[in-house]
Amino acid sequence: MKIRKLLVWGTAVLFISCATNPFTGKQTLALVPNSQILPMAFQQYNQFLGENKVVKGTSDAEMITRVGQKIARASERWLNANGYSGYLKDYKWEYNLVEDKTVNAWCMPGGKIVFYTGILPIAQSETGIAAIMGHEVAHALANHGQQRMSASQIQQVAGAATAVAVSGKSQQTQQIVGTAFGLGSQFGVMLPFSRSHETEADRIGLQLMAIAGYNPDEAANLWRRMKANSGGQSPPEFMSTHPSSDTRIANLTAWAPSARAEAKKFGITTFK
Ligand SMILES: [Zn+2]
């Protein structure tokens, strides 16, 4: 393990654009550093909030914030414990509930989260919210958004990021960033997460919810409700995902004990 970490650091020094993701253990090509790409994502997020009805001050809105903070804290604790403190230094966590009957939720890289009110009846409880939040945050932490950008798109964004540091990002660049980071449906294009990304987000998300003190057994129950609600159709973020609800439920059930074991390392032994 130590040798592996040394190798990872050595490689990072030589090829700064290739980074190992701590959550997936995979090498990911990062032509654009977070410090450059995240501000563009933040701009997209603010634009989205400006164009949609953000719910403020209700118990539901407070619950989204509360769960989000706990999942964020769980991510940071996990990273610190595994030798990656500072990994989220460019993150600016934010949690918003948006009035919209669509059954959906997402998290942009950089920790910008949106829940639609339409997903609340299926989430059903704070623990259900935590299962969704864990999954969405996991996509961001694993850099799945950047991975679904093509190499040429990344280069285009990188070029724009360096050429136009603060303002005046082109419409096209914004669209690329938005598409990759999950706001694509706004522009009529939605790039799907792959099956492996979905499975990865399920696994990481389950650990995060457990470390945050939420019962990981509830993730499988959430997906049972999703399945019952959908009438064969999954909600938008999950729509393109190939793992069937049944596979997903089976995976989450099988992984719950290891999520509990992971949480125990952080002193979490009771779950709500
Ligand atoms: Zn997903």
Side-chain angles (χ1 to χ4, degrees):
M1 193 64 187
K2 265 191 181 149
I3 286 169
R4 193 169 151 237
K5 269 189 184 160
L6 270 175
L7 281 173
V8 166
W9 284 114
T11 311
V13 171
L14 287 174
F15 304 104
I16 202 82
S17 62
C18 234
T20 297
N21 186 283
F23 291 94
T24 62
K26 289 178 188 160
Q27 288 266 315
T28 54
L29 191 64
L31 288 173
V32 193
N34 272 349
S35 59
Q36 284 184 359
I37 205 164
L38 293 188
M40 287 200 269
F42 298 162
Q43 197 182 337
Q44 286 278 324
Y45 185 76
N46 288 336
Q47 190 186 331
F48 177 87
L49 294 181
E51 292 167 357
N52 288 273
K53 192 177 173 227
V54 180
V55 181
K56 295 273 184 199
T58 67
S59 59
D60 283 341
E62 282 162 12
M63 179 167 65
I64 297 299
T65 300
R66 182 168 63 245
V67 176
Q69 286 170 340
K70 286 188 181 181
I71 294 289
R73 178 82 190 110
S75 318
E76 280 152 15
R77 288 186 75 188
W78 188 92
L79 283 163
N80 292 345
N82 287 278
Y84 293 98
S85 32
Y87 183 78
L88 301 179
K89 65 176 164 36
D90 296 312
Y91 269 55
K92 290 190 167 58
W93 295 99
E94 194 174 339
Y95 326 92
N96 280 291
L97 179 64
V98 163
E99 182 73 53
D100 189 318
K101 61 182 190 317
T102 312
V103 179
N104 205 10
W106 42 261
C107 174
M108 293 172 86
K112 299 294 189 183
I113 293 158
V114 160
F115 269 65
Y116 295 77
T117 48
I119 207 168
L120 297 180
I122 299 166
Q124 217 174 65
S125 66
E126 185 166 332
T127 306
I129 298 283
I132 299 166
M133 188 84 73
H135 175 95
E136 297 304 329
V137 165
H139 275 309
L141 296 174
N143 281 333
H144 289 162
Q146 266 143 302
Q147 286 173 52
R148 64 182 172 178
M149 292 165 86
S150 70
S152 67
Q153 284 177 325
I154 293 174
Q155 273 173 346
Q156 207 171 339
V157 172
T162 42
V164 194
V166 184
S167 61
K169 275 117 194 162
S170 76
Q171 186 73 13
Q172 198 186 9
T173 307
Q174 284 201 21
Q175 286 191 12
I176 292 167
V177 174
T179 304
F181 287 176
L183 293 176
S185 53
Q186 267 189 306
F187 306 109
V189 192
M190 189 69 192
L191 293 180
F193 286 120
S194 68
R195 175 195 296 210
S196 64
H197 284 175
E198 282 306 322
T199 305
E200 218 161 64
D202 281 343
R203 184 181 54 76
I204 298 165
L206 195 68
Q207 295 205 352
L208 294 178
M209 80 179 284
I211 295 169
Y214 295 104
N215 182 359
D217 295 332
E218 284 300 311
N221 288 333
L222 168 81
W223 279 99
R224 288 188 184 98
R225 291 196 294 278
M226 289 267 197
K227 187 185 171 190
N229 172 76
S230 64
Q233 285 281 74
S234 298
E237 196 278 318
F238 311 98
M239 187 151 59
S240 53
T241 65
H242 308 282
S244 72
S245 300
D246 292 333
T247 306
R248 196 155 220 168
I249 290 164
N251 280 343
L252 290 166
T253 306
W255 294 331
S258 61
R260 282 171 185 274
E262 187 67 23
K264 201 178 173 189
K265 293 182 195 166
F266 296 87
I268 311 297
T269 51
T270 55
F271 302 92
K272 89 183 218 181

